[in-house]
Every structure is written in C-alpha cells, then in structure tokens.
Amino acid sequence: MRCSMPTRRILSVLLVLPLALTGCSGADNKKPGSHTTPDKPKPYTGPMAKDAWSSLNGGHSRIEMKQVERHGDRSVLRFYLTNPGKKEEHYSFGTTLPGSAYGNLHFTLIDPVGHKAYTPLYDDRDKTVGSDLFITAAYPGARYETILEFPPLPEQLDRITVITPTTAGEFTSVPVVDGQGPIKPSAPAPTLFDKPKPGSQVAWPVRGLNAPAKGGTYDLYAITEGEVKSTTTSSTEEKVGLRTDVLFAFDKATLSAQAKTVLDQVAAETKTKADPSRPPILITGHTDGKGTHDYNMSLSQRRADAVLKELQARLGSAYQYKAEGKGETEPVAKENGPDDEQARQKNRRVEISYQIKQTTKTTATASGRQQQESPGGTAGPPAPFQPDGPTVASRYATFDQGDKRRMDVKPFYRDGAYLVAVFDIANLGPDNGPAEIENYSSAGGGTFGDFTVTDPAAKTTYRGVRLGKQGTAYVDPGWATFRTDPGTTNRGFVYVPAPPP
C-alpha cells in the first residue's frame, strides 16, 4: 500500500510516498525499494501511557489513560498528566468551543466499531466542562488527575479510542465503566501556592461538572475510491458510486457487459449489508455539466432506471427500490478547471444508497433491560492498546530553501472498521528554529495533511475518515501544533477505511 502527503503550504513540492503494506519509497531515497518486515509484536502489558509533545500544550507531557465513566446524561474521561521535565509547564487542552481560535485542540472519543465520534461538552461560556487547564502550572514529576466530560455513550460499549491533540495521538481500548458516585476528582487540588512534590497525585481545578452543557455526537464517514466505484460508509448508511463510463457507452442508457459483472458484485454487497426493513434502496443518476438541463435529467433518469432493473433482478422482492435522475445538479467535482475531464468523469455516476442492517443487543441497566442497536457489517474488534512498532521504511524529501524532512513509516494496524496509518516526520533542517507552524491535520489546511493510503494492486485509495457527512474534522491529530526545531521528530497518524481482511 502507499500513503500520500501533500505539499507544505508554502512549498511547491508534492511528497508522494508509495507503501507496500508497511513500507514506503519516495523522493531522495537512499535505498530504493528497500523495506523490512517487522516481527509479530508481543501482547502489551504495560500502562496505557505515552509521552506527548505539542507546542500548544506546554511542550512535553506524559499522558496516562485511566477510563471513561457513564454518569447518566454524560460520560467522563479520566486520565493523568505528568510533567517529565525539570521546570514547570502550562498545559492547555481544548478550553474553548470548536470553531474558535483554539477550538480544535480538544480530545475526541472514537467508537471504531459503531462508526461514531464524541466531542467534549461545553458550558454556557463555551468552555470545556471538566478540568480547567487554561493557565494552571504543572510541576515536574507530580501526577495530575484530569477530567473531561462528553455526551453519553451507548450501553454496549466497553472499550473506546481516545484521540489526543498531541504526538501521543490515539489511545485504543480505553475501558468504559459505570461511574460510581458524583462526578468529581479523586485527588485533592493543590492550593494556589502549593508545589506538589514529584510522585504525588493531585487534581486540576474543575468547572461546570454538573451544570447543563452541550456537546457533539457525529457519524464517522469513510471514503474508499477505486477505478470503477467509490464507497462512502457511515454508522447507518452506505452509498456506492459507480462510474457511468464503465456502466454505459457514451450518451447511452443501455448497460454494458462489464456493467453487469460490476452489478453482480454490488448486489452481493447490498444483500449482505442493506436492511430491507428500512427502504428504499435508492438509485440516483448523475451527469456532467455538458448538454442541456432537460437532456441531462432524462439521461440520468434512464440510467438510474436501468441499474434499478438489474439490481431488482438480483435482489428480488424483499427490497423496495426507487430510481431518480439528478442530471448535472449535484456535482462532486468542480468542472471547467485545470482537471476538467477528471472532474467530469467523477460527476458522471450512478449512486446506490441504502440503510445498513443494525444488530440488536440487550443490556442490563439500573432501571431494567435496554435494547441497543449497532451497525452490522464486517468491522473487526477494537484494537488493543499498543506501543508503535519499529520503523519499516524511511524516505526523504527536500523542500524550498534546502529544508529536509524524513518520513518514518510504522506498521499499520486495524481498529474496528478502520486502518490506523502511523508515521513520524523528522525535521532535518538546516533552518535555525521554527520557520512556521507544522501540523498533520487532514482538513486540508494543515502543513502536512490530507493523507491517503493506496492499494496499488487493487488501484483503491482509502481517504481520511471525517466527522460528519460534510465535516472538516478528521480522525487524526487535528490542529495540534508540533515542534518545528531542527532535529525534532513528530508522530502522526490518520484513520482510513480498513481494506478487506
């Protein structure tokens, strides 16, 4: 497989790094094609702890996860921060509402099996509910208990992934338990003039623990793109986009022989995933922007009708169907630009969408028994917590003014329905000091962002998983700002849809 990394914003170089499952090759490569196969890692039995760096959280910290607790209408994440340095630091993790100046610097809970994300609760002043880390000093060696509140979690969850806005990145399989007693720190808060001794355990000041608060729950949207079809999957819906250039001859609505083979595969997937009790299976035709509106509407409708007829022949009467033509009214790519023909090819498509089967699980609660639904499908189990594996390949690239970066690729792993791509980017200089802000956000505005993973044999690309259908936040470090000094290395990661097992 391979991963792609776009240019730094101020540079004109595109850094493309092909991956062979766990290896990379790319620009300024010292050993072309070389890679190593890591040994199978042994089960990890240590604490759920990682060192973390971020220039906006005080620099260096050690994060140790404890658990997530259910407390009625909210969930509580408890973890510990330790300052491993020799002088006091000031940590700041998401103290304001998303969308404000530092709004993306908050933790996120990810359910990798249920395709859901949960962002922190905020009070009526748009401050995160829980530990107040805005201007609080952390003294070396003391262990600071930290609390953050989130929306309630489904009863069937017993493990969840916590995403941190630091180089520590993701913490998989954090236990989810029932909360005991009121929401409060289990350790005392130091007074204003206290300097906790190394090894002591204290808690940050807290705010708004039991007051009304608002927070976010999002579907995770995963996008897979191939030469013939693309697939977008959330917790409840799947949409398969088929290129009409493969299905039909130019300007025609009669299916080709290849189209019928493609629809055999789509029908088999649909039968496995689609819920007949939540109709319909919707078939929508789209054209590019050429031609008149009336002609495009007619062509897209006739093509949708042809696909519906073939799907119905394969799936039978257990499902309800609906076909509609949208013509050129809903493009997915901008036409009349430098990539006009590629854009038109993407816009010429037939989309098949349906509701995904949900599995029902009965759980015991304090007030009786409760049924919970979770997506069906082929999602694997949550990943166990594990340290990163060894570097399996390193590649180099030189940017403007001679600045060099090295990308060290780590073994990827599966977390539920997703693949976690892990890598380091090292600053090799020669610039003296931080020249700019660097972050790994896949939102498109990051210095290094919009990472993808590609299977070159299947010609399939797996794009970063995003929060919400039109979301600009991704399951990655977000807008965490990393070290930019020469000689420093920052760990990055991105969640993409998992390839077939």
Side-chain angles (χ1 to χ4, degrees):
M1 306 189 93
R2 69 184 178 189
C3 56
S4 297
M5 183 170 66
T7 63
R8 301 167 71 188
R9 272 180 301 185
I10 62 170
L11 304 178
S12 59
V13 177
L14 177 67
L15 182 58
V16 180
L17 302 158
L19 274 172
L21 288 181
T22 54
C24 253
S25 61
D28 196 17
N29 181 8
K30 291 187 175 181
K31 295 181 179 180
S34 66
H35 67 276
T36 60
T37 301
D39 295 332
K40 186 175 180 180
K42 296 179 180 179
Y44 180 72
T45 58
M48 300 183 72
K50 298 182 187 181
D51 277 15
W53 287 90
S54 174
S55 64
L56 289 181
N57 82 329
H60 190 191
S61 61
R62 181 170 175 80
I63 301 175
E64 180 183 347
M65 288 293 157
K66 183 180 180 182
Q67 62 194 27
V68 175
E69 303 164 2
R70 293 190 181 88
H71 288 270
D73 66 344
R74 60 195 67 197
S75 305
V76 175
L77 169 65
R78 290 184 191 267
F79 61 99
Y80 301 97
L81 288 174
T82 303
N83 174 4
K86 296 182 178 180
K87 62 180 182 178
E88 68 181 68
E89 297 280 7
H90 292 79
Y91 299 134
S92 178
F93 289 113
T95 57
T96 54
L97 188 67
S100 58
Y102 297 101
N104 288 315
L105 293 177
H106 55 65
F107 287 50
T108 304
L109 304 184
I110 298 294
D111 174 5
V113 177
H115 307 269
K116 291 285 188 181
Y118 304 86
T119 56
L121 297 183
Y122 292 84
D123 61 19
D124 57 1
R125 296 182 299 159
D126 289 341
K127 302 292 185 182
T128 47
V129 177
S131 298
D132 187 351
L133 306 184
F134 187 52
I135 55 173
T136 308
Y139 291 96
R143 194 164 175 254
Y144 289 82
E145 184 183 29
T146 312
I147 292 175
L148 283 176
E149 291 194 358
F150 290 82
L153 301 177
E155 287 293 332
Q156 75 269 21
L157 282 185
D158 60 2
R159 289 177 288 169
I160 201 159
T161 295
V162 179
I163 304 295
T164 75
T166 72
T167 59
E170 76 287 359
F171 287 75
T172 53
S173 283
V174 175
V176 180
V177 301
D178 291 333
Q180 303 296 323
I183 304 172
K184 63 179 182 179
S186 60
T191 64
L192 182 61
F193 300 104
D194 278 347
K195 291 186 178 181
K197 296 179 180 179
S200 62
Q201 183 165 309
V202 293
W204 304 105
V206 294
R207 62 174 174 232
L209 292 183
N210 298 298
K214 52 187 178 293
T217 301
Y218 300 89
D219 272 348
L220 293 178
Y221 277 79
I223 301 175
T224 303
E225 296 178 345
E227 289 191 312
V228 174
K229 69 175 184 176
S230 63
T231 304
T232 303
T233 306
S234 71
S235 65
T236 58
E237 183 183 50
E238 182 153 297
K239 180 185 291 185
V240 179
L242 302 175
R243 285 180 50 186
T244 56
D245 295 10
V246 174
L247 300 180
F248 304 97
F250 176 73
D251 229 18
K252 303 296 182 182
T254 302
L255 288 163
S256 65
Q258 182 182 2
K260 294 182 180 181
T261 301
V262 171
L263 290 175
D264 284 342
Q265 299 171 350
V266 172
E269 294 174 2
T270 303
K271 192 170 186 179
T272 300
K273 298 178 181 179
D275 189 345
S277 68
R278 300 182 182 185
I281 295 176
L282 179 63
I283 299 97
T284 308
H286 301 270
T287 69
D288 62 24
K290 289 185 176 180
T292 67
H293 173 70
D294 289 345
Y295 183 83
N296 288 338
M297 291 294 289
S298 173
L299 178 62
S300 63
Q301 182 68 56
R302 287 184 285 123
R303 286 176 166 178
D305 289 337
V307 172
L308 185 154
K309 182 178 179 181
E310 291 292 330
L311 277 182
Q312 190 171 25
R314 290 160 174 76
L315 296 174
S317 59
Y319 301 89
Q320 297 179 36
Y321 308 86
K322 179 181 178 181
E324 60 183 12
K326 295 285 188 175
E328 78 287 0
T329 62
E330 295 182 0
V332 293
K334 184 178 180 180
E335 299 180 15
N336 301 316
D339 299 320
D340 181 65
E341 184 50 37
Q342 292 181 10
R344 293 186 188 277
Q345 287 179 352
K346 289 183 178 181
N347 290 334
R348 296 191 295 265
R349 67 199 191 278
V350 174
E351 294 176 336
I352 302 165
S353 57
Y354 47 81
Q355 298 298 303
I356 298 173
K357 294 176 183 176
Q358 306 289 304
T359 58
T360 302
K361 180 179 180 180
T362 302
T363 57
T365 67
S367 57
R369 302 190 67 79
Q370 180 177 353
Q371 287 189 333
Q372 297 286 336
E373 288 188 337
S374 61
T378 57
F385 179 76
Q386 55 196 337
D388 292 340
T391 296
V392 295
S394 297
R395 298 296 181 263
Y396 301 78
T398 301
F399 298 103
D400 287 355
Q401 300 176 354
D403 289 346
K404 294 189 71 172
R405 297 292 186 272
R406 185 186 72 239
M407 188 178 197
D408 297 330
V409 180
K410 308 294 183 179
F412 294 177
Y413 66 93
R414 295 174 186 269
D415 187 17
Y418 306 107
L419 186 73
V420 188
V422 183
F423 52 88
D424 291 338
I425 294 182
N427 184 346
L428 305 183
D431 51 354
N432 297 314
E436 59 173 294
I437 293 175
E438 293 190 358
N439 63 66
Y440 297 169
S441 172
S442 292
T447 308
F448 299 109
D450 199 21
F451 288 87
T452 61
V453 174
T454 299
D455 179 347
K459 297 182 179 179
T460 301
T461 297
Y462 303 91
R463 299 200 172 275
V465 175
R466 68 177 187 260
L467 278 62
K469 195 169 187 178
Q470 304 296 330
T472 58
Y474 289 72
V475 186
D476 64 9
W479 287 96
T481 306
F482 297 142
R483 297 170 294 170
T484 57
D485 300 287
T488 59
T489 298
N490 294 310
R491 178 190 185 274
F493 73 95
V494 62
Y495 273 57
V496 299

